Amino acid sequence: MFARIAGVGSFLPGQPVKNDDLIQRGVETNDEWIFSRTGIRARHLAAANCTSSDLALEASTRALAAAGIEASDVDLIIVATSTPDFIFPSTACLLQAKLGNHGAMAFDVQAVCSGFIFALSVAEKFIRSGSHKKALVVGAEVFSRILDWDDRTTCVLFGDGAGAVVLEASEKPGILATAAHADGSHHGILSVPGSVCGGKVIGDPFLRMDGKAVFKFAVRVLADVAQECCEVAGVTSAEIDWLIPHQANIRIIESTAKKMGLGMDKVIVTVDHHGNTSAASIPLALDVAVRDGRIQRGHKVLLEGVGGGFTWGAVLLEF
Ligand code: UT7
């Protein structure tokens, strides 16, 4: 029994905000700096009243339609997010209510930009165990809420969005292998080091990042975990049809592809359109490539992510 992707969907809120548009918002930056270092041209920013569960609902509705099933058919909902609507209940439960699903197991996964990989890995275990049959796995973020718009080294890099897949039990091949890791000793290089206590924010409620340290760490672990996942599945990198890396930075993406011996013609890149959408970035890119026909049934696709924690992981699947 495999866990197989039955449908994919994604959603980006509003109109693209181009790099130079950020200048009008008071950010001292320019398109050349942002594009040359990151490959980002634009990002989408959710309206003030739009939450992660709202974005998740749009992406999920599209994934359910692509899978040809109803929300009521789903028996497991996992949302990967670091920007939940509330402290509790989980964004997955709020999404469940919006979808009109009653009774499915629903919970959030918090692994920042690796969140979708972690959530997909967890859902796969539930399905392969036989306990659940149809899972909705979502990455949804409103990172614009945790950006310090006075910190140009971070605010230009992130955006809002959501992506979702329906995963179902199948005798046909689906997920072939997963690999995921964390090392909390690196928590300080990418974090939002604040909390709520007694009605007040304690600490810092904004995203803080040591960009150079994150860059070095990401390049190393992404190549390692990609190789580990391929070895578990007994698949060589030459057999991979598509690589879908976390969409944070084109230079990290290119470096990982090079280490794996893959040409950029085998790599799905959407970071230029939406910047770093954290847990949403991998399903967003997957949806684009499925809908434009590049990824076809039977193709071997390697998904991989890295993020705060530090966390990192990969999923190898036959689509
Ligand atoms: O999910 C993981 C998420 N994180 C990442 O993927 C981030 C990984 N890291 C990176 O992508 C890069 O480290 C950055 C893009 C964040 C920064 O690139 P860099 O080449 O490491 O730049 P830098 O920190 O060395 O900054 C160089 C200069 C500085 O000016 P001075 O001190 O040399 O005069 C900055 O003040 O660039 C300046 N700068 C900017 N200029 C225009 C910093 N931010 C901006 C900006 N626009 N937005």
Side-chain angles (χ1 to χ4, degrees), residues 29 33 37 113 152-153 209 211-212 214 246 248-249 252 276:
T29 193
W33 191 95
R37 278 172 175 77
C113 304
R152 67 176 182 166
T153 67
M209 178 171 71
K212 284 193 199 314
V214 168
H246 168 45
N249 182 307
I252 297 176
N276 184 345

Side-chain angles (χ1 to χ4, degrees), residues 108-229:
D108 287 359
V109 161
Q110 218 282 38
V112 200
C113 304
S114 310
F116 185 76
I117 295 290
F118 279 43
L120 201 58
S121 305
V122 171
E124 188 239 5
K125 309 299 174 241
F126 274 96
I127 287 180
R128 286 190 78 138
S129 77
S131 68
H132 292 74
K133 297 276 178 283
K134 290 192 194 316
L136 182 61
V137 185
V138 188
E141 302 279 17
V142 282
F143 255 52
S144 57
R145 305 281 153 78
I146 52 166
L147 297 176
D148 177 356
W149 289 95
D150 290 328
D151 176 8
R152 67 176 182 166
T153 67
T154 55
C155 73
V156 303
L157 304 175
F158 296 88
D160 304 333
V165 301
V166 172
L167 207 60
E168 65 181 17
S170 169
E171 283 172 13
K172 289 188 206 151
I175 293 178
L176 303 174
T178 68
H181 301 280
D183 183 348
S185 68
H186 300 282
H187 65 88
I189 61 174
L190 179 51
S191 64
V192 179
S195 59
V196 175
C197 178
K200 292 196 183 99
V201 173
I202 307 294
D204 185 346
F206 294 123
L207 182 151
R208 302 298 174 199
M209 178 171 71
D210 177 344
K212 284 193 199 314
V214 168
F215 194 102
K216 267 192 226 154
F217 195 95
V219 166
R220 180 167 61 82
V221 297
L222 283 175
D224 288 352
V225 81
Q227 194 182 342
E228 179 190 346
C229 198

Side-chain angles (χ1 to χ4, degrees), residues 56-67:
L57 176 64
E58 297 291 342
S60 299
T61 303
R62 292 168 192 199
L64 290 165

